[in-house]
Amino acid sequence: MCSGESQERRDSGHDVGRLINTLSHQLKRQMCVQEEEDSLTTNMQRLVLHYILFESLKGDIYQKDVEKEFQIRRSTATGTLQILEKNGFITREAVKRDARLKKLVPTEKAQGVRRHILENIQYIEALLAKDIPGEKLEVCREVLKQMSENLSVNEKRREEI
């Protein structure tokens, strides 16, 4: 163990990380996949496509945005975006102000699955929140955001060493 915490002090059935990992696997199994999405073989590809579809409604999206949103390395983002492009879900278009910069643009194929994706997100969110009072959900969101921030700060600290 990295932290040096003794094994006896931990209740492995209730570790926060383990619970989050279990929840993540349950979420992946609950996702309803439409036929057009079958060529997306990983959950990361689906999540990135969902992000591009909805964020592109607000403005231009770039690879750096994907890296930041999902806290992934450039190589991971590049590989995921290459698969989305190869499968016809996105194109990369040069930006007039800087030809080296490529914005990520959803294709008609991707636009065709937008409604299904939105319905699926709403279904999963309702399922997750079922029978949980709103104030508890808000505390949960705040705690999860803080946990993510804690891990990000630690990762940056380790990179500096």
Side-chain angles (χ1 to χ4, degrees), residues 2 27 55 104 124:
C2 294
L27 277 168
E55 291 302 312
L104 307 173
I124 294 294

Side-chain angles (χ1 to χ4, degrees), residues 33-81:
V33 179
Q34 195 174 22
E35 188 178 315
E36 289 88 355
E37 292 179 272
D38 281 346
S39 58
L40 303 176
T41 56
T42 68
N43 198 46
M44 178 57 77
Q45 292 167 12
R46 287 185 189 93
L47 291 171
V48 169
L49 178 59
H50 299 179
Y51 173 76
I52 293 169
L53 274 167
F54 292 102
E55 291 302 312
S56 65
L57 293 173
K58 301 174 193 172
D60 291 344
I61 302 295
Y62 303 95
Q63 179 167 330
K64 281 282 186 202
D65 299 320
V66 172
E67 294 167 14
K68 184 178 177 186
E69 175 69 19
F70 295 98
Q71 297 186 16
I72 56 178
R73 290 185 170 83
R74 185 183 318 159
S75 59
T76 303
T78 298
T80 301
L81 294 171

Side-chain angles (χ1 to χ4, degrees), residues 82-104:
Q82 285 174 339
I83 291 169
L84 291 175
E85 191 171 22
K86 179 182 146 211
N87 290 333
F89 288 103
I90 65 166
T91 59
R92 297 175 199 238
E93 296 180 3
V95 178
K96 290 179 183 173
R97 61 183 159 83
D98 185 349
R100 297 170 297 174
L101 196 57
K102 307 284 188 226
K103 67 180 177 179
L104 307 173

Side-chain angles (χ1 to χ4, degrees), residues 20 33 42 60 75 98 106 110 117 119 128 153-154:
I20 291 170
V33 179
T42 68
D60 291 344
S75 59
D98 185 349
I117 291 168
E119 288 171 358
L128 285 168
V153 167
N154 187 61

